[in-house]
Amino acid sequence: MERDGLFAGDDPFEIARGWLAEAEKSEMNDPNAVALSTVDADGLPNVRMVLLKEISEDGFIFYTNYNSAKGRELTANPKAAMVLHWKSLRRQVRIRGMVSREEGARADAYYASRSLKSRLGAWASEQSQPLDSRTTLMAKVAKITAQKGPNPPRPPFWGGFKIAPVEIEFWADGAFRLHDRFVWRRKGIGENWEIQRLNP
Ligand SMILES: Cc1cc2nc3c(=O)[nH]c(=O)nc-3n(C[C@H](O)[C@H](O)[C@H](O)COP(=O)(O)O)c2cc1C
């Protein structure tokens, strides 16, 4: 199968990293913004943006509050889909796969790399729970700041999720809507990838 140029390579993680690196040069902001889709207990899909923080050797990692709506949905049903779209490049990457928590040293290191205000904010926000006013939130931030001091540990309810893909599709805009699409699929994690060109 002819698969050159943008789509060349034997490792889809490497291709995704390459595309993201290009987007970092051309996107106005947040080239690592991804729409993350989960499914709730009724089977109703849910979607929101998160920031993709790492494309590791085996997955796509983002960070959040484990008690948030997405955190609960992923805990109950550890499967997810993501899509990245770069307007400046006219490209998208779609990812579907199995989800696990990333809550060891990697999560500690990422948490420690964030600004102190963000680290305290993670402690203060009961993400996705009702909030009666902004004043209540700011009072909580002040209380946490006094309690935790300048070097707060990573909250036990905050950390990463990793999507280990069973499917990754690379899409690039073509003239007259004749786009190029290549999908990488595998039966399970650790199995071989099968690559197909798809109709646009
Ligand atoms: C560009 C962008 C990036 C975001 N990145 C994150 C993120 O990395 N982690 C996160 O928890 N929420 C992030 N958010 C907020 C989420 O979209 C969402 O409002 C929040 O996580 C609560 O979602 P939930 O109630 O479905 O759990 C981001 C929002 C935008 C618009």
Side-chain angles (χ1 to χ4, degrees):
M1 182 197 359
E2 140 270 354
R3 185 171 53 79
D4 46 19
L6 293 179
F7 299 93
D10 301 327
D11 176 4
F13 299 100
E14 197 54 48
I15 300 173
R17 277 186 221 110
W19 284 29
L20 180 56
E22 278 183 77
E24 278 163 5
K25 293 184 206 132
S26 60
E27 280 294 292
M28 203 169 96
N29 54 36
D30 294 339
N32 60 333
V34 294
L36 168 77
S37 176
T38 53
V39 170
D40 77 6
D42 296 324
L44 186 65
N46 210 346
V47 65
R48 80 292 282 156
M49 304 305 294
V50 293
L51 295 177
L52 182 62
K53 285 294 166 180
E54 189 178 347
I55 304 175
S56 71
E57 62 294 344
D58 60 354
F60 293 78
I61 302 170
F62 65 91
Y63 289 87
T64 194
N65 183 313
Y66 291 137
N67 297 327
S68 65
K70 79 184 89 48
R72 289 171 194 271
E73 287 163 6
L74 289 173
T75 301
N77 177 20
K79 297 177 186 171
M82 276 183 167
V83 62
L84 292 128
H85 171 226
W86 298 295
K87 292 184 198 295
S88 59
L89 299 177
R90 298 177 189 274
R91 287 187 224 163
Q92 81 175 336
V93 179
R94 298 167 64 182
I95 295 142
R96 304 171 74 206
M98 309 305 159
V99 175
S100 59
R101 287 190 184 196
E102 190 67 56
E103 49 187 345
R106 214 193 281 255
D108 290 339
Y110 173 62
Y111 182 77
S113 77
R114 304 173 83 218
S115 72
L116 180 59
K117 286 212 159 87
S118 303
R119 280 177 279 156
L120 292 165
W123 273 103
S125 170
E126 290 173 49
Q127 194 176 48
S128 314
Q129 295 303 313
L131 176 64
D132 62 3
S133 70
R134 187 152 188 102
T135 310
T136 304
L137 178 62
M138 296 326 278
K140 179 99 180 279
V141 170
K143 192 173 145 207
I144 291 281
T145 303
Q147 266 175 11
K148 300 286 173 195
N151 210 355
R154 180 172 60 84
F157 54 81
W158 190 98
F161 282 109
K162 176 167 75 185
I163 305 190
V166 289
E167 199 172 301
I168 306 182
E169 183 194 311
F170 296 93
W171 182 104
D173 184 68
F176 306 108
R177 305 273 146 115
L178 297 178
H179 317 298
D180 287 308
R181 300 176 64 187
F182 286 93
V183 62
W184 297 58
R185 288 198 187 97
R186 57 182 177 181
K187 295 216 167 62
I189 311 307
E191 304 277 329
N192 288 334
W193 290 107
E194 285 183 19
I195 312 167
Q196 279 179 319
R197 184 188 263 279
L198 299 180
N199 272 274

